[in-house]
Amino acid sequence: MEATLSLLGLSGTDAVLLGVALVLGGLLGAGVKWMMERAKRATVEQELAAKKAAAEAEAQKTIAQAEAQVKTEFIRRRDQFDKETESTRQELRSEEKRISKREDMIDQKLETLNAKERTLEAAEKGVIEREKALASKDRQLNELIGQQKSQLLKVANLTTEEAKELLLGRVEKEMEKETAKIIERRLNEARETSEAQAREIIISAIQRYAADHTTDSTVSTVDIPSDDMKGRVIGREGRNIRAFEKATGVDVIVDDTPGVVVVSAFDPVRREVARRSLEKLIQDGRIHPTRIEEIVANTEKEVNRQIFEYGKQAMVEANVRGLHNKLVELLGRLHFRTSYGQNVLKHSLEVAYLAQVIAEQLGLNGQLARRCGLLHDIGKAADHEVEGGHPQIGADLAKRYGEKEEIVNAIGAHHGELEVTSLYTPIIAAADAISASRPGARRETLERYVQRLQKLEDIAMTFAGVKQAYAIQAGREVRVIVDAENVDDRLSAKIAHDVAKRVEDEMEYPGEIKVTVVREVRCVEYAR
């Protein structure tokens, strides 16, 4: 060491100082290194802290996104569940309403059946009491007849059979005379009170006609794609069907019949508007009160335009000009009216053609006859709005809108309800009878038509004193010719009454059948 120091030229003190310096340098180097390591460690810790913070922020962001997705999915599924629940509730409400309606119908039927059972029980009791009374009267009559027989045998010295024949002959003749007197008296009373009886007959006819019309011609059916659509037609608590019935003035019947909704109304135009509106609503799918009112209003305008077009087309086909617009509209309404299955507008056109041919053959004005025929049933377009029969209604309408007197009389008197004052009236009546009663016009085959005429003559020929019977006027009248020597005037009235009664009981026919009994005495001598 000393050698080394000596070589370096250093003294001992210098060597100590050098050693201290070296130690201090080493310590200083270690301190610097330690400080550098500490600074590096601090930097690493800061980077780790930054990465940790970034990772925590990213984790928070991911958690927030996941929570948002979960919340969105929860809301979506909750809305879907609410919709499905509401749909199920509506179906349950509809089913409850149907069940309630069925229960009400069953209750009504049970009440009707109970009422009928009570009526039948009362009728059975009445029949039993009548049978007892009739049995008692029968015994009394038998005793009285026995007494009369014994007295007759004692007085007349006749056998039982001879006495029976004599008695029955006298009773029959007396009864015929008495019956004829009663019929004549009743007919005279009927003539005196014809106005009152006419009102009753008209009311009865209107009632019977309304029933037939309701069951045959006032119902239209609308096809629906599925039974679920019935619930939409009805609407929540029935609001849609109420709005539809109020807007159209018809009755809508939704029952258990699959795939069908029934529309019922006496007015054929209203029924047609309702049918078309319901079909449009079903096709559109948007069924609510506002949409219903809009569709019904548009359909009503469409039908009214079509009605006017039908009227103008009928005018062109019949070659009739100068009609008032209201009469043209009423003609178009007849397109939707039927009578025993026969379209009234087509029937009117046919009557117009027939009337023209008949009038021209008689040397009359065929154009005027055609106009009368086209308008003869115009009252049927308004008979559900105005009181009275369609001839009188039609005559009033024609007079109001400026038609000639001949046309007014032909319309009002073609069914014999008014006095005939025009030559064209019987022509229209004949053409109307031909069009309405010809085979095939009103759902009647040729075979049934001939059978009806034959049966009408056969019924008349079954009465005593009748020589001949002819069905005329296409079966609307039967003319009965009686033997003038064996049948007097009173018996003629009785025969007419009896024939009409049997025709009513045994035959089915449209309108009415007139029974005319003819009793004629012919005296012939030859001068030579």
Side-chain angles (χ1 to χ4, degrees):
M1 180 68 181
E2 289 178 356
T4 303
L5 291 171
S6 63
L7 288 173
L8 293 172
L10 296 174
S11 62
T13 304
D14 295 330
V16 171
L17 291 172
L18 180 62
V20 171
L22 290 172
V23 170
L24 289 174
L27 291 173
L28 181 62
V32 170
K33 185 178 180 180
W34 177 82
M35 289 181 66
M36 290 177 65
E37 289 291 336
R38 184 177 179 183
K40 186 176 180 180
R41 189 182 304 154
T43 302
V44 171
E45 287 178 355
Q46 288 177 357
E47 289 177 357
L48 289 174
K51 288 182 179 180
K52 182 179 179 181
E56 288 177 353
E58 183 68 23
Q60 291 293 333
K61 183 177 179 181
T62 304
I63 291 170
Q65 290 178 353
E67 288 178 350
Q69 290 178 356
V70 170
K71 188 174 182 181
T72 303
E73 181 67 18
F74 172 77
I75 293 172
R76 186 183 66 80
R77 293 191 177 183
R78 187 181 63 183
D79 291 341
Q80 183 179 2
F81 175 77
D82 290 340
K83 290 180 181 179
E84 292 176 353
T85 305
E86 183 64 24
S87 176
T88 305
R89 286 176 181 171
Q90 289 181 354
E91 291 178 357
L92 289 174
R93 288 181 190 137
S94 300
E95 191 64 26
E96 286 176 357
K97 288 181 180 179
R98 291 177 186 173
I99 293 172
S100 176
K101 187 176 180 180
R102 286 184 183 177
E103 289 176 352
D104 292 338
M105 292 175 64
I106 292 171
D107 292 338
Q108 291 177 359
K109 289 181 178 179
L110 288 175
E111 291 177 1
T112 305
L113 289 174
N114 291 332
K116 288 183 177 179
E117 286 179 356
R118 290 193 295 270
T119 305
L120 288 174
E121 289 176 358
E124 287 177 355
K125 291 181 181 178
V127 169
I128 293 171
E129 293 176 358
R130 289 181 181 178
E131 287 179 351
K132 292 180 180 178
L134 288 173
S136 176
K137 290 181 179 180
D138 188 51
R139 288 193 299 270
Q140 294 176 1
L141 287 173
N142 289 333
E143 293 175 358
L144 183 60
I145 290 170
Q147 293 175 3
Q148 290 179 350
K149 283 182 179 179
S150 60
Q151 290 178 0
L152 284 172
L153 291 173
K154 290 178 183 179
V155 173
N157 291 325
L158 298 174
T159 63
T160 304
E161 294 297 330
E162 292 173 348
K164 186 185 294 185
E165 291 178 1
L166 181 62
L167 180 61
L168 288 175
R170 290 180 179 176
V171 170
E172 185 176 358
K173 289 181 180 180
E174 291 177 358
M175 288 301 296
E176 286 181 353
K177 292 181 180 179
E178 291 297 326
T179 306
K181 290 180 182 178
I182 292 171
I183 292 173
E184 186 178 4
R185 185 172 67 252
R186 294 297 183 189
L187 289 175
N188 292 332
E189 292 176 357
R191 293 189 187 97
E192 294 174 357
T193 60
S194 60
E195 185 175 355
Q197 289 184 354
R199 287 197 190 96
E200 294 177 0
I201 292 170
I202 290 171
I203 292 171
S204 176
I206 289 172
Q207 289 173 347
R208 288 189 297 173
Y209 180 77
D212 291 340
H213 200 288
T214 301
T215 57
D216 189 38
S217 305
T218 67
V219 173
S220 297
T221 58
V222 178
D223 296 331
I224 60 174
S226 64
D227 287 339
D228 294 337
M229 184 62 71
K230 289 185 178 180
R232 299 180 63 184
V233 170
I234 295 172
R236 183 178 298 175
E237 298 179 357
R239 65 173 188 171
N240 289 345
I241 196 170
R242 285 198 301 271
F244 186 83
E245 290 179 343
K246 182 179 179 181
T248 57
V250 304
D251 292 329
V252 180
I253 302 170
V254 182
D255 54 16
D256 295 333
T257 305
V260 170
V261 174
V262 178
V263 177
S264 174
F266 188 74
D267 186 345
V269 176
R270 285 208 309 262
R271 188 173 68 251
E272 180 68 15
V273 171
R275 183 186 67 79
R276 295 188 183 186
S277 300
L278 190 55
E279 288 180 348
K280 290 180 180 179
L281 287 169
I282 291 172
Q283 291 176 359
D284 184 43
R286 295 176 293 171
I287 305 177
H288 51 82
T290 305
R291 182 63 176 167
I292 288 170
E293 292 177 358
E294 179 183 354
I295 290 290
V296 169
N298 293 335
T299 306
E300 189 172 4
K301 293 178 182 177
E302 175 187 339
V303 171
N304 287 333
R305 288 194 299 269
Q306 195 171 12
I307 285 172
F308 198 76
E309 289 300 322
Y310 282 137
K312 291 198 296 185
Q313 186 178 356
M315 285 177 57
V316 172
E317 289 185 20
N319 195 18
V320 172
R321 302 175 183 176
L323 284 180
H324 193 277
N325 284 341
K326 184 62 177 178
L327 293 179
V328 177
E329 180 187 349
L330 292 172
L331 272 178
R333 284 176 173 269
L334 293 180
H335 175 79
F336 299 99
R337 178 72 184 268
T338 60
S339 179
Y340 292 96
Q342 186 181 31
N343 186 280
V344 177
L345 182 57
K346 293 182 179 178
H347 164 69
S348 298
L349 289 169
E350 188 172 348
V351 170
Y353 299 147
L354 293 171
Q356 179 188 6
V357 173
I358 295 172
E360 289 177 349
Q361 289 292 327
L362 296 174
L364 298 175
N365 188 341
Q367 192 73 21
L368 183 58
R370 186 190 301 171
R371 195 181 188 97
C372 294
L374 181 64
L375 297 176
H376 82 286
D377 273 346
I378 197 71
K380 287 186 178 180
D383 59 357
H384 58 280
E385 301 174 350
V386 183
E387 261 187 359
H390 75 271
Q392 183 61 51
I393 296 172
D396 293 339
L397 289 171
K399 189 174 182 179
R400 183 187 307 169
Y401 296 114
E403 293 298 324
K404 295 180 180 180
E405 186 61 33
E406 294 91 340
I407 299 174
V408 173
N409 186 253
I411 295 172
H414 74 277
H415 282 321
E417 297 181 2
L418 298 177
E419 182 181 358
V420 177
T421 60
S422 169
L423 293 174
Y424 296 92
T425 302
I427 294 176
I428 299 303
D432 181 47
I434 293 170
S435 174
S437 301
R438 62 177 174 78
R442 294 190 172 183
R443 294 178 182 168
E444 188 173 36
T445 63
L446 176 61
E447 183 179 356
R448 289 186 58 192
Y449 173 75
V450 174
Q451 288 177 355
R452 180 162 64 89
L453 298 185
Q454 185 64 44
K455 187 174 182 180
L456 192 60
E457 294 179 355
D458 292 341
I459 288 175
M461 290 298 297
T462 58
F463 290 89
V466 176
K467 293 172 63 177
Q468 292 174 326
Y470 303 102
I472 60 176
Q473 295 291 335
R476 291 196 174 191
E477 180 179 354
V478 57
R479 189 157 296 176
V480 181
I481 300 175
V482 298
D483 186 0
E485 295 180 358
N486 298 323
V487 179
D488 58 10
D489 292 341
R490 291 179 177 176
L491 286 179
S492 298
K494 180 179 179 299
I495 290 173
H497 177 270
D498 293 342
V499 170
K501 189 70 172 65
R502 279 196 57 185
V503 169
E504 288 180 358
D505 295 338
E506 299 180 13
M507 293 184 62
E508 294 182 1
Y509 49 88
E512 62 182 12
I513 295 177
K514 180 180 179 182
V515 179
T516 303
V517 175
V518 179
R519 177 178 178 271
E520 183 181 19
V521 178
R522 293 189 181 184
C523 300
V524 180
E525 290 290 344
Y526 295 95
R528 293 183 175 85

